Amino acid sequence: MNRISHWIDGKVVESTSGNSAPVYDPASGEQTATVDLASVDEVDAAVAAATAAFPEWRSTSLSKRAEVMFRMRELVDANRKEIASLLTAEHGKVLSDSLGEVARGLENIEFACGIPQLIKGEYSEQAATGIDVYSIRQPLGVVAGITPFNFPAMVPMWMFANALACGNTFVLKPSEKDPSVTMFLAELLATAGLPDGCFNIVQGDKVAVDRILHHDDVAAVSFVGSTPIAKYIYETGTANGKRVQALGGAKNHMLVLNDADVAMAADAAVGAAFGSAGERCMAISVVLAAEGIADELVSKIAQRIPDIKVGAGNEPGNEMGPLITAESRDRVTGYIDGAPGEGATIVVDGRENLPADGYFVNPTLLDNLTTDMACYTDEIFGPVLGVMRVSGYQEGIDTINANPYANGTAIFTRDGGAARQFQFDVQVGMVGVNVPVPVPVSYYSFGGWKASLFGDTHMYGPEGINFYTRGKVVTSRWPDPATSSVDLGFPETR
């Protein structure tokens, strides 16, 4: 059986911890590999390799760092299908979805190729007589990423591309559920010319996470995952003096007003709710349907669901694959089980007609949600779409803003004034206008508000550059030595 190990100092390193975990094919439920789980000593070895590599990489010119990113961009592009196939085999999402994930990750490498421009400072000549002032941004040192199972290729690329381009070295702790993709990316980085030790991978569980959070040589930590773990990562990391950006969970709403194109809104809701089996932090999980169109919208969504082809991700024509684990499947069906008892209506039941093997739940539609139901308050993270009926714009806004999560949201309307007011009023970090999944392009930044984000900095894009660097201001004077004298006064600029 395949064994997946660590990547430390430019090579595969098999664990000696004696601990491992199974890796499954979610479409069949069969174990396909084992993944090593790092000990504290193995995490220390990865951090030591990154620490040793940092001085040389930090002093490498911007143009040479950009060259590595350009070569990495070409390698990822050339190996899209292999990366996507690895991703599908361990995560379960269909191949087209995996290819889309790789494409969105690739955008972040392309953004990092512009590092000479992105990291430019500012300069003020003659700020005071004979004095110039300028600002520069410098790397932090060793930085770490802790990434989730649902985007095992894209989210690491969100992190390491900017971090490495800025001159940091990197330690990645990917999800133990689908670890193969990141090992392949490590090989591509080495082929692209990244020096040994600059990028390291430790497979692992909470032991590895806690060691990263407590290690004195780790300057910053990036995390994407559930809100309880994001909160833990943020509080523990910052208590240990680290810079932390931790993205948490979501409960994303789509407000559909009476003037919306109902057919288009139904198409959007189905795609946004059931793509990647709902295992997306930007999935639409609640449609807020204005009363005038609610019945029609629910009917049109229900009509579309039977056309979704559910099955193994590597089989052509399938549009939705399984959930990642048996535990995920059982948790999702548990919410469906409990919905009628809370007063919700099951319009389409995803527990029916399931394959005999694998971790499948079919697309599910619930109607008549209220804000006190578990299927509304909790992040289900599966193919379950709920509909809540609202009187109109104001009740929709109030419902969204009262929710503790604030990752993404969308409005569907033909009214430009209502759309503009929505983006002004809504207390959510990423907003779509007739766009159901408003994930920003790579030259903006990704992140929510409230319980969906811990820390002040969003991920990738300009905020990613700022997160992986720190500013320094230099005040410079080159006087004539003959004019030098002692001055105990406070420095002035006039």
Side-chain angles (χ1 to χ4, degrees):
M1 184 170 291
N2 185 33
R3 178 180 178 183
I4 303 162
S5 301
H6 314 303
W7 179 275
I8 299 175
D9 203 18
K11 60 183 179 296
V12 175
V13 175
E14 292 187 352
S15 178
T16 59
S17 71
N19 295 320
S20 63
V23 178
Y24 295 99
D25 175 357
S28 67
E30 296 180 358
Q31 183 178 347
T32 57
T34 60
V35 58
D36 290 337
L37 301 179
S39 65
V40 168
D41 288 343
E42 287 163 341
V43 176
D44 287 352
V47 175
T51 302
F54 174 67
E56 182 178 352
W57 181 242
R58 179 251 186 278
S59 63
T60 299
S61 70
L62 291 171
S63 60
K64 288 184 178 178
R65 286 187 232 154
E67 283 180 11
V68 172
M69 289 299 111
F70 272 108
R71 287 195 289 268
M72 183 61 175
R73 188 262 170 217
E74 293 306 303
L75 288 167
V76 171
D77 184 41
N79 288 276
R80 286 177 191 245
K81 290 183 179 178
E82 185 168 355
I83 297 169
S85 295
L86 282 172
L87 202 163
T88 291
E90 292 183 350
H91 176 274
K93 65 179 67 175
V94 297
L95 194 58
S96 60
D97 203 0
S98 294
L99 286 166
E101 175 181 341
V102 175
R104 291 308 299 263
L106 186 59
E107 291 178 10
N108 289 273
I109 297 176
E110 291 171 347
F111 179 78
C113 290
I115 193 63
Q117 168 70 22
L118 297 170
I119 210 167
K120 283 198 310 184
E122 297 176 319
Y123 194 101
S124 296
E125 183 183 46
Q126 203 71 354
T129 303
I131 293 178
D132 304 326
V133 180
Y134 55 95
S135 66
I136 53 180
R137 299 202 68 85
Q138 296 181 329
L140 304 177
V142 178
V143 299
I146 302 168
T147 56
F149 71 82
N150 59 324
F151 288 103
M154 182 182 72
V155 173
M157 286 190 269
W158 283 3
M159 299 176 185
F160 73 68
N162 283 342
L164 293 171
C166 287
N168 302 282
T169 53
F170 202 89
V171 176
L172 174 66
K173 205 302 284 184
S175 171
E176 66 275 19
K177 295 182 176 68
D178 44 12
S180 292
V181 168
T182 50
M183 294 295 286
F184 187 66
L185 292 175
E187 294 175 7
L188 295 184
L189 281 166
T191 303
L194 186 71
D196 292 348
C198 289
F199 182 77
N200 305 273
I201 298 172
V202 286
Q203 312 292 352
D205 52 14
K206 192 175 185 297
V207 171
V209 169
D210 283 343
R211 183 56 183 150
I212 288 169
L213 294 175
H214 287 87
H215 201 297
D216 290 339
D217 291 337
V218 175
V221 177
S222 300
F223 171 82
V224 176
S226 68
T227 286
I229 305 302
K231 186 173 186 288
Y232 173 78
I233 296 285
Y234 178 75
E235 291 177 348
T236 307
T238 54
N240 284 280
K242 305 185 190 315
R243 183 179 290 188
V244 179
Q245 53 179 184
L247 276 59
K251 196 71 181 182
N252 303 317
H253 301 73
M254 181 174 126
L255 175 58
V256 184
L257 300 184
N258 285 322
D259 67 339
D261 183 317
V262 177
M264 183 177 76
D267 288 339
V270 169
F274 304 128
S276 196
E279 291 179 323
R280 294 172 175 167
C281 68
M282 287 294 284
I284 291 295
S285 55
V286 179
V287 170
L288 301 174
E291 289 176 344
I293 51 88
D295 287 342
E296 181 185 3
L297 181 59
V298 170
S299 175
K300 289 186 180 299
I301 292 173
Q303 290 168 12
R304 285 158 170 74
I305 288 176
D307 295 332
I308 298 172
K309 295 180 180 178
V310 179
N314 58 4
E315 293 180 4
N318 287 339
E319 299 170 291
M320 193 186 96
L323 295 171
I324 185 74
T325 62
E327 292 78 12
S328 294
R329 175 199 61 200
D330 295 344
R331 179 179 50 78
V332 170
T333 55
Y335 283 105
I336 303 170
D337 294 342
E342 295 185 301
T345 304
I346 300 178
V347 180
V348 179
D349 193 337
R351 299 168 298 179
E352 299 174 349
N353 302 316
L354 294 176
D357 299 318
Y359 311 135
F360 290 91
V361 178
N362 286 325
T364 298
L365 178 62
L366 306 178
D367 195 5
N368 299 308
L369 265 60
T370 58
T371 57
D372 58 348
M373 296 176 180
C375 55
Y376 174 78
T377 59
D378 298 353
E379 184 183 25
I380 298 176
F381 220 62
V384 179
L385 176 62
V387 176
M388 180 182 297
R389 292 153 184 262
V390 295
S391 58
Y393 175 87
Q394 193 58 52
E395 187 180 357
I397 277 286
D398 292 344
T399 301
I400 297 169
N401 288 348
N403 195 276
Y405 296 110
N407 211 43
T409 190
I411 185 171
F412 275 71
T413 180
R414 290 187 174 98
D415 186 336
R420 188 177 187 280
Q421 190 65 37
F422 181 79
Q423 62 87 25
F424 183 84
D425 290 338
V426 75
Q427 297 170 17
V428 176
M430 293 171 281
V431 179
V433 176
N434 298 318
V435 174
V437 185
V439 176
V441 292
S442 64
Y443 43 90
Y444 284 82
S445 295
F446 180 102
W449 291 6
K450 299 192 287 189
S452 295
L453 174 72
F454 295 84
D456 298 324
T457 307
H458 291 160
M459 204 158 286
Y460 71 72
E463 292 190 53
I465 297 294
N466 289 340
F467 179 79
Y468 291 121
T469 58
R470 53 188 169 187
K472 182 182 287 184
V473 177
V474 180
T475 302
S476 174
R477 181 174 179 234
W478 297 98
D480 180 344
T483 66
S484 180
S485 63
V486 175
D487 183 354
L488 301 184
F490 191 83
E492 298 182 6
T493 59
R494 300 189 186 279

